[in-house]
């Protein structure tokens, strides 16, 4: 028990160090992942589908950023939320680290959906087999969407260092657009027109939450 807590601490330290490093590194030179050198063959293997990666990792951890700042109308009046304690800020940072690294996971070839759930649920959505085909045909675009999410997630690390509350709000909106850009191409291209129209009629909201 004690050992596993120590390990978790060590992993967090390493992750934080790496994240800080890559943050400064992007300012001067491309990160290794962006360098043009051919990717070495690797034994990385996808464990779950894109959908499960979204449900279990990308979506819940992005809420660490999306839900960090905002205001809610309640029976007690307007309740403002913003990170105040070190723990609150650590949660925002955790979301950023997971999203930045999730972009790498998205680039490991994997099926769109688990085999037992291989039908699309809504009319505007591509069926998983069609998502697979679209990714196969245009992996460059897929990877570029994943990279865009990473770029915006990395910016959050700096925002957290400066404890910049408005920065969290802006970063959330910028990250959200990278989610939606990929979804509009590879998940619900049939809804593109409606989503764009809806977006232009509103200030920022989270379109991922239906
Ligand atoms: C590189 C492309 C890509 C990026 C970036 C991306 N997604 Fe997704 N996401 C997909 C695809 C494709 C699906 C549809 C998978 C399916 O249903 O088969 C999906 C599905 C989802 C789902 C539905 C899961 C379910 O159970 O039906 C949620 C929620 C989601 N994404 C959230 C997000 C959030 C939040 C972000 C950004 C922080 C994000 N996604 C970024 C490609 C992406």
């Amino acid at each position: 028990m004690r050992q596993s807590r120590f390990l978790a601490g060590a992993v967090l330290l390493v992750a934080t160090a790496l994240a800080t490093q890559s943050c400064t590194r992007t300012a001067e030179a491309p990160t290794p992942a962006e360098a043009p050198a051919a990717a070495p063959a690797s034994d990385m293997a996808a464990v779950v589908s894109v959908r499960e990666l979204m449900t279990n990792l990308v979506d819940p951890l992005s809420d660490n950023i999306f839900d960090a700042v905002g205001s809610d109308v309640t029976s007690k009046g307007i309740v403002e939320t913003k990170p105040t304690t070190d723990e609150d800020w650590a949660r925002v940072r955790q979301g950023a680290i997971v999203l930045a690294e999730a972009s790498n996971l998205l680039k490991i070839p994997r099926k769109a959906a688990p085999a037992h759930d291989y039908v699309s649920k809504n009319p505007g959505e591509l069926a998983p087999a069609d998502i697979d085909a679209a990714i196969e045909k245009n992996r460059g675009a897929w990877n570029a969407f994943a990279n865009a999410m990473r770029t915006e997630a990395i910016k959050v690390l700096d925002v957290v260092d400066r404890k910049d509350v408005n920065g969290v709000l802006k970063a959330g909106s910028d990250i959200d657009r990278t989610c939606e850009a990929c979804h509009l191409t590879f998940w619900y291209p049939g809804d593109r027109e409606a989503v764009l129209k809806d977006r232009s009629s509103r200030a920022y909201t989270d379109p991922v939450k239906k």
Side-chain angles (χ1 to χ4, degrees):
M1 191 62 203
R2 204 190 307 147
Q3 193 186 15
S4 75
R5 203 178 313 137
F6 167 76
L7 263 178
V11 168
L12 189 68
L13 267 179
V14 171
T16 311
L18 282 175
T20 318
Q21 216 177 48
S22 73
C23 186
T24 24
R25 217 192 291 132
T26 35
E28 321 137 8
T31 61
E34 284 159 358
S42 86
D43 59 358
M44 288 192 292
V47 175
V48 295
S49 65
V50 172
R51 188 186 298 169
E52 290 158 290
L53 210 54
M54 293 293 149
T55 318
N56 293 286
L57 199 97
V58 174
D59 195 47
L61 269 296
S62 67
D63 285 343
N64 285 21
I65 301 164
F66 295 153
D67 296 345
V69 180
S71 51
D72 265 326
V73 181
T74 70
S75 54
K76 291 186 202 119
I78 296 176
V79 176
E80 306 274 351
T81 313
K82 64 175 186 184
T84 49
T85 63
D86 285 351
E87 204 182 22
D88 292 342
W89 284 107
R91 212 174 302 122
V92 178
R93 178 186 284 277
Q94 182 193 20
I97 289 174
V98 169
L99 288 190
E101 288 290 357
S103 83
N104 292 322
L105 298 180
L106 282 168
K107 287 186 266 185
I108 299 175
R110 62 183 71 236
K111 291 283 186 196
H116 64 265
D117 199 8
Y118 228 65
V119 286
S120 76
K121 290 163 291 179
N122 299 305
E125 291 178 12
L126 294 181
D130 296 328
I131 299 178
D132 290 340
I135 297 172
E136 202 48 53
K137 222 173 93 189
N138 201 353
R139 198 164 281 284
W142 175 265
N143 289 351
F145 285 130
N147 286 346
M149 183 176 79
R150 179 185 61 198
T151 301
E152 295 308 328
I154 287 173
K155 288 184 190 164
V156 176
L157 301 175
D158 185 45
V159 165
V160 169
D161 285 344
R162 289 186 283 109
K163 294 198 167 33
D164 174 2
V165 171
N166 285 331
V168 175
L169 205 59
K170 164 142 196 341
S173 160
D174 292 343
I175 288 172
D176 189 34
R177 284 181 180 236
T178 70
C179 312
E180 190 177 81
C182 188
H183 293 164
L184 279 171
T185 297
F186 287 102
W187 181 18
Y188 41 79
D191 292 347
R192 179 177 280 272
E193 212 174 307
V195 169
L196 295 181
K197 194 165 153 223
D198 188 44
R199 184 201 282 172
S200 65
S201 69
R202 286 182 301 176
Y204 169 72
T205 53
D206 179 1
V208 169
K209 288 189 191 125
K210 294 192 204 101

